[in-house]
Structures are given as structure tokens and as C-alpha cells.
């Protein structure tokens, strides 16, 4: 039940994963995520789905240990080799993450879906929630935005080979290294950027932390093709839903282009971490994250006490 005292992070705080205390030294981190294919190549899709599911454990500062496959597959209409490739992609990503596959479940479904249920561990005193951001903190975003728009262009057969390869690299990349670094260096808050878009997940952070946020749009990394495709109207439906839901909490500089605004609300698949870190640690953390290959990681703004519950997006 919700009032179980060992449930340290539950449904109420809209955090990335649930955390359940087993002892004073050990808690479980649990999460599940699965979705329909976003790229044509089944092996790549398997990798993306696994990286995406693991991300919620990394966002809490946890270490994923085991995973279970969640599969919906149209056995009547699709060749089973497709499923085999998806599972191989997922398994390779789990190997990279040093996560053990312990089982899974599959059902017949007219629409293919794949993902993982992931279990990790964490010290109960070292949980990095979305509720710890403090005024003065700097905000680091570890991956470029725009995956939703580019995935829409892929579906419309409009994406260039370069855009496809860039977005694949972004979505298959584990958030593990950034997570390990933030645990070592010490940060106040973290969440990962997924379906609600950058602004949506940033809003969850300021609401849970009871603070406000100022973003500098020129420092927010995004895949350059996303701007181009947004101009062509290749914007997923989720972008507008995200916008509608959060627009009242946002103050946008009037000079921002409509394309950039779309990118800020764009639903992400296997997006980066948004880390709120004390200012004196921010440059070191950024530097180390970049050295791990997340070269587009950037300091995108800061946490403020006022205006509370709002995000101001400057030029
Ligand atoms: Co999440
Ligand atoms: Co999730
Ligand atoms: Co079963």
C-alpha cells in the first residue's frame, strides 16, 4: 500500500522510479518502460528500449542489477526473426550496463512493443530524487534534445542518414556514466528527460523541489536537424500535448523561434539526465561528463527561489 513506511519514493512525487527500503543500508529501485518501435532496425530498437528503461534507475543514482523483458508481438503477421533481433539488441545493452536478464513475459498483440522492467539497488540515504534542487544550483543537461522530432521525420521517410545516425547514437547511449559521476561528485537533484519533454520534466523537478528555474535557451543542446524538421511541421503529437499542459508555467523570451519552442517541449526517447548541482561543483561535473563522451552536455540554467513553480526561458 501507499502508506508502507518502507516505500521511500512512490507514486506521489512523480519521480523516475520507485524506491523501497529493505534495510538501513539497502533499498530497491524499480521501474518499467516499454513502447512501440521508433526506428526501423529491430536490433537498434532493442538497444534503445533497453537504454531508455535503464535510465530511470540511473536518474535516481541507483545501480541497475536485473531486468525482465516485456514483449508484445504480432506472431500472426510478423516474422519471429524481428523479435529475435530486438531481444538481441536489448540483451547487448544490458550486457554493456552489466545488468542480468532474469526473465520476462510476452503476449500476442497486434502492435509490437518492447521494453524492460528493471530492478536496481541504492543506499537509502543516497537517493537522488527530483525534489532536492536548491536555489543557486546549476543545471546540466547531458544529451541533446530533438529525438521526438527526428523520430517523426524518420517515420515520414524524411530524415537524412546523418540525422538517423546521430539520433541513434543519442538514444542508445546509456546514462550510466553521467549517473556514476553525479553520485561521486554529489548533486542535489536529478531526473531524466523522456516523454514529457525537457520542459515537462524540468517542471516536475521545480514542483517537487518547491523552487523556480531560469534557462538560457542558447546553451540548450539539440540535434541541429530537429530545427529543420520542426520547420517542416514534422512534430510529434506529444509535443503539443506537452506544451498545452505546461505553457502556463513558462515564460518564454519573445525572440525564441517556434522551432526552438517545439524542441523544448518535444517528447524524448532515452533522453539525457537533467542534473541540479551546487554551483561550485558544476564545471567539474560538466567537464567529467564531457570526457566520458557526452560532448554536447551543457550547463543550461539555474535554480532560483522566485518565481516559484515557474520556468523563465531567456535568450
Ligand atoms: Co524518468
Ligand atoms: Co520512465
Ligand atoms: Co509470464
Amino acid at each position: 500500500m501507499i502508506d508502507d513506511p518502507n516505500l521511500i519514493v512512490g507514486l506521489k512525487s512523480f519521480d523516475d522510479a520507485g524506491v523501497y527500503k529493505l534495510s538501513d543500508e539497502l533499498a530497491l529501485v524499480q521501474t518499467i518502460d516499454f513502447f512501440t518501435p521508433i526506428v526501423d532496425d529491430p536490433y537498434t530498437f532493442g538497444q534503445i528500449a533497453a537504454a531508455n528503461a535503464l535510465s530511470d534507475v540511473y536518474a535516481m543514482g541507483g545501480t541497475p542489477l536485473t531486468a525482465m523483458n516485456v514483449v508484445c508481438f504480432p506472431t500472426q503477421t510478423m516474422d519471429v526473426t524481428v523479435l529475435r533481433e530486438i531481444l538481441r539488441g536489448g540483451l547487448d545493452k544490458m550486457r554493456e550496463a552489466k545488468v542480468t536478464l532474469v526473465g520476462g513475459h510476452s503476449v500476442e498483440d497486434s502492435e509490437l512493443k518492447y521494453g524492460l522492467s528493471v530492478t536496481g539497488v541504492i543506499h537509502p540515504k543516497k537517493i537522488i530524487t527530483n525534489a532536492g534542487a536548491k536555489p543557486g544550483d546549476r543545471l546540466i543537461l547531458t544529451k541533446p534534445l530533438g529525438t521526438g522530432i527526428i523520430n517523426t521525420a524518420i517515420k515520414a521517410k524524411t530524415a537524412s542518414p546523418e540525422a538517423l545516425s546521430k539520433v541513434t547514437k543519442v538514444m542508445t547511449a546509456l546514462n550510466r556514466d553521467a549517473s556514476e559521476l553525479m553520485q561521486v561528485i554529489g548533486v542535489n537533484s536529478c531526473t531524466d528527460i523522456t516523454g514529457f519533454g525537457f520542459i515537462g520534466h524540468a517542471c516536475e523537478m521545480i514542483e517537487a523541489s518547491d523552487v523556480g528555474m531560469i534557462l538560457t535557451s542558447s546553451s540548450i543542446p539539440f540535434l541541429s536537424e530537429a530545427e529543420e524538421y520542426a520547420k517542416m511541421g514534422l512534430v510529434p503529437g506529444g509535443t503539443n500535448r506537452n506544451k498545452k499542459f505546461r505553457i502556463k508555467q513558462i515564460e518564454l523570451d519573445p525572440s525564441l523561434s517556434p522551432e526552438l519552442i517545439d524542441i523544448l517541449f518535444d517528447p524524448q526517447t532515452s533522453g539525457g539526465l537533467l542534473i541540479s548541482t551546487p554551483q561550485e561543483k558544476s564545471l567539474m561535473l560538466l567537464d567529467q561528463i564531457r570526457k566520458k563522451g557526452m560532448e554536447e552536455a551543457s550547463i543550461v540554467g539555474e535554480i532560483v527561489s522566485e518565481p516559484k513553480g515557474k520556468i523563465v526561458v531567456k535568450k
Side-chain angles (χ1 to χ4, degrees), residues 15-17 31-33 52-53 55-56 192 194-195 201:
D15 218 316
D16 296 298
T31 181
I32 180 167
D33 214 334
N52 179 75
S55 175
D56 278 328
D192 62 342
T194 52
H201 292 281

Side-chain angles (χ1 to χ4, degrees), residues 68-90:
M68 290 194 275
N69 283 326
V70 181
V71 178
C72 305
F73 194 77
T75 17
Q76 310 292 334
T77 53
M78 206 176 272
D79 192 335
V80 74
T81 54
V82 173
L83 179 57
R84 242 178 260 144
E85 279 301 284
I86 292 172
L87 297 178
R88 191 170 69 85

Side-chain angles (χ1 to χ4, degrees), residues 162-303:
E162 298 78 52
L164 176 62
S165 103
K166 272 198 231 171
V167 79
T168 301
K169 191 174 164 234
V170 168
M171 293 188 297
T172 56
L174 290 174
N175 281 325
R176 174 186 55 193
D177 292 342
S179 173
E180 287 176 359
L181 285 167
M182 77 172 178
Q183 293 169 53
V184 171
I185 291 173
V187 304
N188 289 330
S189 187
C190 179
T191 191
D192 62 342
I193 308 302
T194 52
F196 297 127
F198 177 55
I199 294 286
H201 292 281
C203 278
E204 287 176 344
M205 182 184 275
I206 58 168
E207 285 177 346
S209 304
D210 199 26
V211 292
M213 188 181 283
I214 295 175
L215 297 170
T216 310
S217 64
S218 57
S219 64
I220 297 172
F222 62 87
L223 298 159
S224 55
E225 288 88 347
E227 195 172 24
E228 190 185 318
Y229 300 148
K231 235 176 232 162
M232 297 162 68
L234 295 164
V235 173
T239 305
N240 286 321
R241 280 197 295 279
N242 289 343
K243 207 184 288 176
K244 229 179 231 159
F245 184 49
R246 292 296 187 180
I247 199 75
K248 281 191 231 75
Q249 284 170 270
I250 313 300
E251 214 173 279
L252 294 161
D253 187 279
S255 73
L256 299 183
S257 72
E259 294 77 35
L260 184 67
I261 295 168
D262 282 340
I263 289 168
L264 294 177
F265 288 97
D266 186 41
Q268 302 298 283
T269 301
S270 190
L273 299 180
L274 176 64
I275 304 171
S276 187
T277 170
Q279 188 249 324
E280 66 274 14
K281 296 177 176 175
S282 57
L283 286 175
M284 183 178 48
L285 180 56
L286 177 68
D287 183 54
Q288 301 215 16
I289 288 171
R290 282 185 176 168
K291 280 193 180 122
K292 288 282 183 185
M294 305 259 140
E295 282 135 17
E296 290 175 82
S298 177
I299 294 180
V300 297
E302 63 184 298
I303 297 292

